Amino acid sequence: MANHLTLDRDEPSLVFLIVDAIAFWFRNQAGFWLGALPIAGLGAAIAFVLDRHQQFADLRNHWGWDFLFALIYAMFLDRGMKIALLKDATPCDDVDNLRRSIIAVRFLVFAACFLVLAMLMSALGLDGITETLIGWRLPIAAAIILGTILSWLPHLFFWTTLFALFALMLPSLSAAEPTSVAHAWALGRPVRAALFRLVFGAALLSFTVFAAASFGLELLPKKPWAGAAMAGAWRLVDCVVLAVVGYVLAMIWRELTDWRAPEPDDHRNMKLRVRGPTG
């Protein structure tokens, strides 16, 4: 079977995969909301408590919240990729075991490493961009949103480039067939440009929603529920983005490795009988 993902002009393939991911998301609303609502609710609850009780004001931008949600997002992404990889699987014990399996430790380590990298690079943040845009007499909303995005663009380019090199490690871990860093590097070479566009677009969308939520918070009444609503909405959009990205990564990895879901014993025996003896 020809691998359409290895073509030089893979834009239509990536667009098709994203559309297919959105369609898959629409067909699996129950599973999505079961995982996304607790995440959005947790984000909203944390924002509400921190705004309601001023004694916790110093904890609003604590790195621990980023670490917590990085691990939660990793678990959500892992679950989404498992569901995508097993979407056409015939029910059997092996499929059920894979679906119920917990996230691999290497998956969590991968997420933690990128979080540490983000924290280290946050010291290189570009300040004053928003004020400069306001000085150019741009509307306040546009200046805040655009300034936030521009201040993080160098970080996004760096993260995206690095992540795209090893992104295909994640589906292999979700499929319980872990691969090495070198193999993930080599496997993703034909689709590296597509991986970069996918991850960069997802990260840019998340930061755009974050900037828009930050501006929306200025328009809402100064009540604890306002911050909770914006935080919950941002986390919810992140979950949608992760669901789409996870599906696309899973499909790309499955296509490149020709991975197939576990099959019942009777199906495997039937295939062996059809093929006949090998000796």
Side-chain angles (χ1 to χ4, degrees):
M1 179 184 298
N3 189 344
H4 64 277
L5 291 172
T6 61
L7 298 178
D8 293 334
R9 299 185 60 185
D10 56 357
E11 290 84 351
S13 298
L14 182 59
V15 171
F16 172 80
L17 284 173
I18 292 175
V19 172
D20 192 33
I22 295 174
F24 183 77
W25 174 75
F26 273 111
R27 295 194 302 268
N28 293 270
Q29 289 292 288
F32 170 79
W33 291 108
L34 188 63
L37 280 180
I39 297 175
L42 178 62
I46 291 173
F48 182 84
V49 171
L50 295 181
D51 286 345
R52 185 70 179 270
H53 302 282
Q54 294 302 316
Q55 63 267 33
F56 300 140
D58 294 339
L59 297 177
R60 289 179 181 173
N61 298 315
H62 195 273
W63 63 268
W65 303 122
D66 294 329
F67 182 77
L68 173 64
F69 278 99
L71 298 183
I72 291 174
Y73 282 166
M75 290 186 284
F76 182 84
L77 181 62
D78 173 70
R79 180 57 51 190
M81 287 194 291
K82 281 185 171 69
I83 294 174
L85 290 170
L86 298 174
K87 64 175 183 175
D88 300 323
T90 303
C92 65
D93 290 341
D94 291 338
V95 169
D96 292 338
N97 291 335
L98 180 57
R99 184 178 285 114
R100 291 194 299 261
S101 62
I102 62 175
I103 185 172
V105 175
R106 289 175 63 184
F107 203 120
L108 295 177
V109 171
F110 190 94
C113 289
F114 270 87
L115 174 63
V116 171
L117 178 62
M119 293 170 59
L120 292 175
M121 290 194 65
S122 62
L124 304 177
L126 304 177
D127 300 324
I129 293 181
T130 301
E131 290 76 7
T132 301
L133 294 175
I134 294 176
W136 291 352
R137 297 184 178 181
L138 286 179
I140 299 297
I144 293 176
I145 296 174
L146 187 58
T148 303
I149 295 173
L150 290 177
S151 65
W152 279 93
L153 272 182
H155 307 284
L156 291 182
F157 274 111
F158 181 81
W159 297 340
T160 302
T161 301
L162 189 60
F163 186 87
L165 298 178
F166 313 109
L168 294 183
M169 284 185 63
L170 300 184
S172 71
L173 294 171
S174 296
E177 295 188 8
T179 186
S180 65
V181 173
H183 184 237
W185 171 292
L187 186 65
R189 186 177 294 115
V191 293
R192 191 145 298 150
L195 292 174
F196 177 87
R197 290 192 296 273
L198 172 69
V199 177
F200 182 79
L204 186 61
L205 178 58
S206 177
F207 274 99
T208 302
V209 173
F210 171 74
S214 300
F215 174 74
L217 188 59
E218 300 297 324
L219 301 179
L220 294 174
K222 303 303 180 181
K223 302 290 184 179
W225 63 261
M230 291 296 100
W234 175 41
R235 299 297 180 183
L236 191 58
V237 173
D238 277 352
C239 288
V240 176
V241 173
L242 285 173
V244 173
V245 171
Y247 181 91
V248 175
L249 286 178
M251 294 302 101
I252 290 177
W253 179 82
R254 189 172 75 168
E255 181 78 14
L256 292 175
T257 61
D258 198 28
W259 183 85
R260 295 293 180 266
E263 296 180 339
D265 291 337
D266 56 345
H267 284 207
R268 287 194 291 265
N269 293 336
M270 184 179 298
K271 288 184 178 180
L272 290 176
R273 288 196 298 269
V274 170
R275 291 175 184 173
T278 57

